[in-house]
Amino acid sequence: MMTQDAIYVKDFQGQDDAAAIRAAIQRAVETNAGFVVFEPRRYILQSEITFRTDGFEHDAGSSKQDSKMCHIVIQGVRSLTLLGATDEQGNPATVLVGSNNGQVHSYLPAILWCEDCDQLTVKNIAFTREPEFASAGVVLRKDDTHIWVEVFEGNPCSDRMGCYCMNRFDPETGALTGESVTYGSGAGALWELVGPNQLRLQSADVASKVHVGEHLSWHQGAQTDFQTYFARCNQLKLLNLRTFNANGFCMLTESCKGIHADRIVFQPDGNRLFTAPRDAWKLFKCSGDICINEMIIEGVRMDGQNMHSTWLELSRIESRHEAVFFCKHTFASLETGSVVELRHEEEIYPLHIANWQHEGKGERGHYYRISFEQPLPDMAQTGMLGTASCWEPDRYICKDSQFTNIAGAGHLVRYDHLLILNCKYKNTMNPGILLGAELPVHSEGGHATDIVIKDCEFDNCGFFPRYGASGCIGIKSAGFSGKFNTDIIIMNNIMKNSEIGVHAIDAHHVYLIGNTFEGVDMPLLQDEEVNGTILSTERTGTGID
């Protein structure tokens, strides 16, 4: 079906598959070809290039490095499709296998790093690491200071492997249970190889949290790293993709305008239990229309999908119409004519951008000089927070998707204008959907407004609180207390096997309509101090009307 508009990777050679793919992409760029076509096989990526980028720093734990080692880089292309093959079931049969040097807590080369592309499509491709970055096994025995684990067949089993982001699973049901055993800081010790497929860990803290017979998963490291990355890629299409194993965030899309994603799957192969030690897919400062269908996320620490921009903080007032703002982490362009919403307590002051300029880089962030069409409000002062509408979607829709065994939240929502429809959340440590901003550590904004959650199912969700919010749906902005997350419709959902259904803390104008609660102790728990308006039509026999 391909024409002379297609470039075939099989026609290129290099020192390894990565070099051949880079050569094929370069030829496509030179000839304005529309397709780079892959065979149905595993591409073993070893060689790497150093790519200078400002896109690495995304949270308080990020490296300050200004370059990234990458297997494949795509920059500045227009209307290009990376086209893999499928098997008889329609699953990706093209697998890009990234290298793994086995070092503990290390950064690894990104498999695919794309910047400044328009109408880029990636289709029918799977991503993984080799050796795998994760392992799993069963607890054979333990004492006060040690645990002994038999590693499942096919999982990495090596002396001095790291023990990061460890989680427990019920051996009968496979369900994620309890709080994470270790986080990004690790166990404070490394695994010791003590026999064929047997490891021992010296850690009194870990030993106190696990039980004989439980299944465990853990990771080699937990750096803020991105296995696949798309920045400023407008009208991006991600179709029929699969991530089996990742060393950090499986995927990050940054400052992309317009994203369409179908059948994006983040799920471990074999009996590895977990896919990644960080989020599956982070949406950062993305705008336009974002539409996601039939996404599957299983086994990640932390969140399934994390969606946010970053707070603008007023640094200096220059005049009645002009001010300088500081924003943490990576730089993103603003848009003339778009709105910045300044916030004073629970009041919002929308101001249109007349013009703006990048004022320079500060410590872990950037300064923006912004002139507004309207005057600054009378109470404007240093430290006042704002959100940029051009860093959030016009509309985000996620439907027919599944979130299972997530050691965080299924959906972490710090955006406005969301529709979440017919999605399933099962065994999520934090709420299946957690709405609200975060300020103290990562400066992730803004609050969540204009949200519809409809026809979804929640099962065993929110058994460990995040920011104090538990349950199937939590509404809480960390570092704030007030009526900040507003205009939220929660309709025709099923919530079961959870302590709390909806935990509304920093919430206002929330409407519960036609939901069903099964095995839920408290269908609705509202913060009495904030005392936002929460209206419910449910009749559950538990005192909620």
Side-chain angles (χ1 to χ4, degrees), residues 44-101:
I44 308 302
L45 312 179
Q46 293 293 334
S47 66
E48 56 198 43
I49 59 175
T50 301
F51 180 69
R52 294 192 63 82
T53 178
D54 293 326
F56 200 87
E57 185 179 318
H58 285 264
D59 62 32
S62 299
S63 168
K64 292 184 178 181
Q65 67 189 66
D66 60 1
S67 63
K68 183 75 177 79
M69 300 303 296
C70 306
H71 291 308
I72 303 165
V73 173
I74 301 178
Q75 188 178 29
V77 304
R78 303 290 181 270
S79 302
L80 179 67
T81 296
L82 303 186
L83 183 62
T86 59
D87 61 19
E88 293 180 354
Q89 290 73 43
N91 299 314
T94 297
V95 185
L96 303 185
V97 182
S99 65
N100 180 4
N101 59 14

Side-chain angles (χ1 to χ4, degrees), residues 60 311 313 328-329 385 414 437-445 467 476-480:
W311 290 108
E313 182 176 344
K328 287 185 178 180
H329 313 313
L385 297 177
R414 314 192 196 283
E438 187 274 348
L439 180 63
V441 179
H442 303 303
S443 191
E444 294 179 355
Y467 315 137
K476 172 67 180 131
S477 287
F480 300 86

Side-chain angles (χ1 to χ4, degrees), residues 448-461:
T449 301
D450 183 22
I451 309 293
V452 177
I453 301 169
K454 185 173 183 290
D455 297 329
C456 294
E457 182 177 307
F458 301 83
D459 187 354
N460 187 35
C461 294

